Amino acid sequence: MTTVLPELGRDLADPEVFKREFLEELRFGQGVVRERATSNDLFMALGRTVRQALMARWIDTLDHQMAAEAKFVAYLSAEFLLGRQLDNALLAADLEQTARQALAELGIDIDQLKGAEVEPGLGNGGLGRLAACYMDSLATMAIPAVGYGIRYEYGIFRQEFLEGRQKERPDTWLTLGNPWEFPHPEMAKTVGFGGHVEAAAGDSGTQRRRWVPATEVLGVPYNYMVPGYRCGTVNTLRLWSAQAPQGFDLKIFNTGDYDRAVKAQNEAENITKVLYPEDSTPQGKRLRLQQQYFFVACSIRDFFDLLPHDTAMQRLPERVVFQLNDTHPVIGIPEFMRILIDEKGLEWEEAWEITQRCFAYTCHTLLPEALEVWPVSLLESMLPRHMELIYEINDWFLRELREAYPGDEPRIRRMSIIQESPERSVRMAYLATVAASRVNGVAELHSQLLREKVLRDFAEHRPDKFTNVTNGVTPRRFVRLANPGLSALVTERIGDGWLTDLEQLRNLEPYADDADFRAAFAQVKRANKVRAVEMLARRDGLTISPDTMFDVMVKRLHEYKRQTLKLLHIVSVHQRVRSGELDPGTLVPRTVLFGAKAAPGYRTAKEIIALINAVAAEVNNDPAVQGRLVVGFPANYNVTLAETLIPAADLSEQISLAGKEASGTGNMKFALNGALTVGTLDGANVEILELVGSENFFLFGLNEAQVVQTQEQGYRPGSYYESDPRLRQAIDSIASGQYSGGDTAAFGQIVDVLLNSDPFLALADFGSYLDAQERAEAAYQDGEAWTRSAILNVARCGFFSSDRSIKDYLDRIWHATPIPVR
Ligand code: F58
């Protein structure tokens, strides 16, 4: 039977057809008439109309991929920070103009509807957004891929400020309905927890083990389309939602004990209730591990179900590679082994060999405290069979090590997957490293530090496993959609090939010396600033002038990222103006914009947020710097806000302590949108600097080796405080209550940490940072030269496309090939 959908898909490009389908969706999909439709009704109908255009391709894609017996990339990630979907779907389906025209003819403002979409915030930051960029690139490059994750009922919290302090509100992203998801309850998977392991007889009398779980939970898949950019491929993102197998207990309910009747149901549903619940409590830890096992078990089962049932297990590596996005899905390794051994009846060696070939691991951090460990006691009670398998994996591994390093017990203890103190625990990063065929860091420097420090013993043992894939970002969302002005300008000069081959931006280089082009480029930047100013006025009540330098620092709040260093710069300028040292007339008028969420349980980070808001309040109300220095801190930084702020930025703040930021991806987005970076030699900054050239980048600070040296020599922040009057003045002004209405205790903790330990060397880098800021200011004064540098940043950063990253993953790790659909 032929489906009518392909026809429909083609016809939708005709505004008349689009209009008709939209009205049908409104009437028959949403069930309302035009006159009484709310903006949400209109948004839902529009979303449904656009997805019609992608539906036929979606179905065809899987058909083609299965028919080709293709190898799939299964991207296992606890987070996918998608951002709004409508604009991206319109772009992918090439329906932007049609939809705009069709809706305009109906008297509907499409931009208003776009603004009504609540973004799915199913991630914390860089790691989750990277997963979303990679899904976009995989589809655009026609690679058979499935994203597997969790459909959190509540995503990343909504941030509000109450008297300058962060308050977290639940992210109710699903309350108004969601046109992008397709639930498939009939395809639910069963996941076990707890219970015990028993001996079972295998074929030919062998001893086998069998897990008998105590409880079961259902995983219901919700499918999301991942449309490639103007190609036939629409891949799938499959997010799992937890449900109780039996719903509630009707018998207990009828006795009137309503709470107990829904207890099992609540317990099951809690698993996917919220993104990264607090894990400072034992219950929180448990829940987090439950989430991890839940989504990974569903995903692996799903993949087995997808394959033809006669697929030989030995051929699995030809059909799938599971990419572990950090350690969160690493429990998938023993799960996979369990299926191969306990269910499929494979012997250990064979199962292990297949598992290794089917898994690869990406590490996203350098902070030792961020490497997950799970107490053995917790694993034993929640996943007893998995714990047995982990022990066995470790046994085999330690045997291998004893052979390779006879007598070197310290080394063997260091490398054991099990750590003994302070509590017997499983080191998930080690388990991943031992099992995976490849281990990659996310920027050159990061991969080097992984090899030399974090995973040094492992890299010495198996150097062949270690590789690098520098992160990238999708140019579709972060240039084409976020910066339509720049996109049009670029396309006008070099054609639109850059959208899928970002290195073509190189062709812009000659235009850096073309005065007309520079004028047009500067005009785009100004328009983006005006757009940001309007949005921040509406959204946050901020008053900002577009005729100031936009100095932007947006990222999660973390001490290692050093928002405090940026603050010290602001405070220093403010204080020097107040004391008469600095003539405000000589300052380049500057608007500093922050955006940052702090983890709800991270006290220091929340204090820093309060300090930023306190400094902003003082500075913005001080006539001494009026119009010359403004600080804005819009609440609830998210993908949507990023899409407006990044294209408006002149200066990009990438100022983490060298050796701490694995890569960063915001840094790439800024450079690609024509902001100049002030940054340290950290993460992918190193590669940005190399590409754009030091004359187009404001480098400052200690490098990683110097950081280590400084610390080894016994770092004393006090000595910097004592020897730099600007630093003293800045810190003293905070300590003396100038930003807290005279309350000297208000920010005492921050001051105390800075002066006494300063673990991220803000004081050591302060002087060099101020110099870099002065260089930036001087450079900004020459508008033509600045614009030239900005253009060169754009032209030279094509490397940072996530398409290039995916190509690297394909060549170095996955070895999957494209299956174009049409
Ligand atoms: C980030 N990690 C790195 N983790 O910090 C950043 O340098 C890198 O560019 C990015 O990954 C992508 O590789 C990150 O975002 C998290 O968000 C954790 C998720 C789990 C909870 C704790 C934070």
Side-chain angles (χ1 to χ4, degrees):
M1 199 186 79
T2 53
T3 138
V4 297
L5 284 167
E7 281 311 312
L8 236 169
R10 233 163 279 139
D11 284 346
L12 275 170
D14 173 350
E16 285 309 314
V17 177
F18 195 98
K19 235 186 322 190
R20 189 188 72 217
E21 288 305 318
F22 170 77
L23 291 171
E24 297 252 305
E25 285 289 2
L26 195 58
R27 193 176 163 87
F28 299 110
Q30 196 63 11
V32 293
V33 292
R34 170 81 181 85
E35 295 67 36
R36 274 194 291 278
T38 62
S39 349
N40 189 54
D41 290 326
L42 298 173
F43 166 74
M44 291 289 286
L46 178 56
R48 286 202 164 102
T49 310
V50 181
R51 77 185 198 185
Q52 280 189 22
L54 297 167
M55 187 59 85
R57 299 186 203 174
W58 199 15
I59 295 166
D60 284 359
T61 298
L62 188 60
D63 282 352
H64 269 70
Q65 294 169 344
M66 291 312 289
E69 299 187 18
K71 179 169 182 178
F72 278 78
V73 175
Y75 201 82
L76 294 177
S77 178
E79 305 190 359
F80 288 92
L81 187 45
L82 299 172
R84 285 178 175 164
Q85 294 298 291
L86 175 58
D87 230 5
N88 188 55
L90 284 167
L91 175 69
D94 198 5
L95 285 172
E96 290 172 294
Q97 286 317 315
T98 309
R100 179 170 296 278
Q101 186 187 333
L103 265 65
E105 286 170 15
L106 291 168
I108 299 166
D109 175 4
I110 193 170
D111 293 320
Q112 202 214 320
L113 297 193
K114 288 182 184 177
E117 181 170 3
V118 183
E119 74 165 72
L122 309 184
N124 275 288
L127 172 147
R129 183 53 236 178
L130 187 77
C133 283
Y134 284 175
M135 291 309 296
D136 181 76
S137 285
L138 283 162
T140 298
M141 296 164 73
I143 306 299
V146 196
Y148 282 118
I150 299 176
R151 180 182 178 271
Y152 301 103
E153 199 178 322
Y154 298 94
I156 180 77
F157 64 85
R158 209 156 37 94
Q159 179 191 54
E160 290 176 9
F161 296 137
L162 207 80
E163 292 174 354
R165 306 199 145 259
Q166 172 174 299
K167 291 283 166 286
E168 301 93 26
R169 306 264 174 257
D171 164 43
T172 53
W173 70 290
L174 288 167
T175 37
L176 290 176
N178 180 335
W180 309 115
E181 61 178 22
F182 295 81
H184 282 280
E186 78 290 355
M187 307 247 288
K189 311 291 167 199
T190 302
V191 181
F193 287 101
H196 64 277
V197 182
E198 58 191 27
D203 305 340
S204 61
T206 50
Q207 267 292 300
R208 292 271 158 195
R209 306 281 291 163
R210 192 178 57 202
W211 176 29
V212 186
T215 56
E216 286 180 337
V217 173
L218 285 184
V220 177
Y222 283 69
N223 292 341
Y224 291 73
M225 293 173 170
V226 184
Y229 173 74
R230 300 197 184 160
C231 67
T233 301
V234 178
N235 279 335
T236 300
L237 170 63
R238 185 161 294 168
L239 303 181
W240 301 98
S241 176
Q243 252 180 35
Q246 272 94 31
F248 70 105
D249 191 316
L250 183 59
K251 219 162 122 197
I252 301 178
F253 192 88
N254 285 337
T255 68
D257 192 349
Y258 305 132
D259 287 348
R260 202 156 66 85
V262 295
K263 188 163 172 281
Q265 194 177 14
N266 286 341
E267 274 171 11
E269 288 173 8
N270 277 343
I271 294 177
T272 52
K273 186 69 74 187
V274 49
L275 170 74
Y276 202 64
E278 279 287 334
D279 65 357
S280 41
T281 63
Q283 296 92 318
K285 274 211 154 54
R286 230 186 116 72
L287 187 56
R288 175 109 175 117
L289 181 59
Q290 275 177 337
Q291 288 189 333
Q292 297 185 350
Y293 179 64
F294 166 77
F295 97 86
V296 163
C298 288
S299 309
I300 292 176
R301 178 67 66 197
D302 189 57
F303 203 84
F304 277 105
D305 291 350
L306 193 73
L307 286 179
H309 291 304
D310 57 357
T311 307
M313 292 299 106
Q314 290 71 13
R315 302 198 59 185
L316 283 175
E318 296 162 32
R319 298 306 307 272
V320 67
V321 53
F322 289 101
Q323 186 65 37
L324 302 168
N325 198 26
D326 219 276
T327 51
H328 321 132
V330 169
I331 195 68
I333 289 164
E335 171 67 1
F336 198 74
M337 285 291 282
R338 186 186 70 79
I339 293 177
L340 293 185
I341 294 173
D342 298 359
E343 294 186 11
K344 309 286 180 189
L346 265 58
E347 294 305 323
W348 181 273
E349 286 89 337
E350 197 167 28
W352 182 237
E353 137 102 24
I354 295 169
T355 301
Q356 285 178 292
R357 292 175 56 207
C358 285
F359 282 86
Y361 162 55
T362 306
C363 177
H364 293 266
T365 190
L366 280 160
L367 308 181
E369 68 271 22
L371 296 175
E372 281 186 308
V373 295
W374 291 113
V376 166
S377 56
L378 177 59
L379 275 166
E380 267 168 350
S381 71
M382 191 188 298
L383 300 167
R385 179 60 180 140
H386 298 77
M387 193 58 238
E388 279 185 2
L389 289 162
I390 294 170
Y391 274 132
E392 196 155 347
I393 292 171
N394 200 38
D395 276 352
W396 281 78
F397 178 56
L398 296 188
R399 241 175 287 152
E400 177 184 314
L401 292 181
R402 289 202 168 95
E403 236 165 76
Y405 313 97
D408 192 352
E409 278 306 309
R411 178 186 194 105
I412 286 154
R413 245 194 322 276
R414 282 202 308 271
M415 294 178 76
S416 172
I417 295 169
I418 309 288
Q419 89 186 12
E420 297 297 334
S421 65
E423 182 182 5
R424 198 143 218 253
S425 304
V426 179
R427 296 158 161 159
M428 301 308 273
Y430 289 10
L431 176 56
T433 303
V434 171
S437 59
R438 289 284 183 281
V439 177
N440 76 284
V442 289
E444 289 289 352
L445 174 65
H446 176 230
S447 295
Q448 181 201 327
L449 293 172
L450 280 184
R451 279 189 303 257
E452 291 174 358
K453 299 194 164 166
V454 185
L455 298 172
R456 178 174 172 170
D457 291 322
F458 295 88
E460 277 171 14
H461 182 57
R462 285 291 305 275
D464 56 305
K465 274 196 187 189
F466 284 76
T467 186
N468 173 63
V469 178
T470 297
N471 283 166
V473 302
T474 170
R476 271 75 64 184
R477 179 176 291 269
F478 288 105
V479 182
R480 174 61 181 77
L481 292 174
N483 201 341
L486 178 63
S487 301
L489 181 62
V490 169
T491 297
E492 197 183 290
R493 300 299 157 112
I494 66 168
D496 66 0
W498 60 274
L499 273 153
T500 50
D501 177 13
L502 204 60
E503 288 283 7
Q504 287 186 25
L505 289 178
R506 283 271 172 195
N507 298 334
L508 281 178
E509 267 202 42
Y511 290 103
D513 295 316
D514 172 338
D516 289 343
F517 186 80
R518 282 202 304 271
F521 187 96
Q523 215 166 34
V524 166
K525 183 60 82 180
R526 181 146 200 306
N528 291 342
K529 288 162 125 178
V530 170
R531 183 178 69 155
V533 163
E534 287 168 358
M535 195 231 358
L536 293 173
R538 228 181 311 119
R539 185 184 181 277
D540 305 274
L542 295 174
T543 313
I544 294 169
S545 161
D547 297 310
T548 56
M549 175 203 240
F550 277 25
D551 174 358
V552 186
M553 182 164 191
V554 287
K555 48 184 80 250
R556 283 298 289 254
L557 202 310
H558 207 292
E559 287 163 282
Y560 82 77
K561 295 179 189 275
R562 301 200 295 191
Q563 278 92 354
T564 29
L565 181 56
K566 178 77 250 169
L567 263 181
L568 287 174
H569 167 232
I570 297 167
V571 167
S572 173
V573 171
H574 182 218
Q575 291 301 322
R576 277 180 287 148
V577 168
R578 284 172 59 114
S579 67
E581 269 166 79
L582 251 180
D583 171 2
T586 65
L587 285 177
V588 168
R590 186 193 292 244
T591 300
V592 182
L593 293 170
F594 287 95
K597 289 181 184 179
Y602 188 176
R603 291 246 330 255
T604 309
K606 292 176 116 174
E607 285 303 307
I608 295 169
I609 285 182
L611 180 56
I612 298 174
N613 279 320
V615 169
E618 281 299 315
V619 168
N620 297 348
N621 286 317
D622 188 345
V625 288
Q626 206 122 73
R628 297 268 149 186
L629 183 61
V630 172
V631 181
F633 190 175
N636 201 42
Y637 179 64
N638 58 10
V639 177
T640 306
L641 186 55
E643 288 165 7
T644 305
L645 292 186
I646 293 172
D650 296 304
L651 196 58
S652 157
E653 298 278 349
Q654 308 302 335
I655 62 177
S656 53
L657 177 63
K660 298 293 174 193
E661 189 70 89
S663 162
T665 43
N667 48 2
M668 304 167 183
K669 294 167 196 164
F670 279 102
L672 279 167
N673 280 281
L676 273 60
T677 305
V678 55
T680 48
L681 281 177
D682 202 14
N685 295 355
V686 176
E687 289 157 81
I688 295 177
L689 169 65
E690 204 167 289
L691 283 162
V692 305
S694 57
E695 64 291 4
N696 303 304
F697 187 113
F698 304 102
L699 178 66
F700 78 98
L702 301 172
N703 65 26
E704 195 271 337
Q706 293 165 329
V707 167
V708 172
Q709 200 188 28
T710 306
Q711 282 165 333
E712 278 173 2
Q713 286 167 352
Y715 174 54
R716 267 204 341 110
S719 65
Y720 291 89
Y721 170 82
E722 282 144 26
S723 61
D724 185 343
R726 293 181 303 185
L727 183 54
R728 208 161 49 235
Q729 180 190 40
I731 293 187
D732 287 352
S733 70
I734 298 170
S736 67
Q738 287 207 39
Y739 297 95
S740 42
D743 178 357
T744 54
F747 299 111
Q749 195 223 334
I750 295 177
V751 170
D752 205 52
V753 169
L754 283 177
L755 287 180
N756 295 312
S757 57
D758 188 20
F760 300 100
L761 277 60
L763 272 52
D765 276 350
F766 175 82
S768 158
Y769 181 51
L770 255 53
D771 291 349
Q773 290 291 348
E774 276 165 19
R775 278 183 276 135
E777 222 167 270
Y780 193 75
Q781 268 161 332
D782 182 349
E784 292 291 332
W786 181 278
T787 301
R788 188 174 177 282
S789 279
I791 295 166
L792 290 177
N793 264 266
V794 176
R796 294 174 179 173
C797 281
F799 175 77
F800 298 109
S801 168
S802 45
D803 301 345
R804 189 272 313 148
S805 307
I806 291 301
K807 209 174 150 300
D808 288 348
Y809 274 101
L810 289 168
D811 292 346
R812 299 172 193 173
I813 303 177
W814 297 336
H815 311 294
T817 47
I819 307 290
V821 178
R822 68 175 92 114

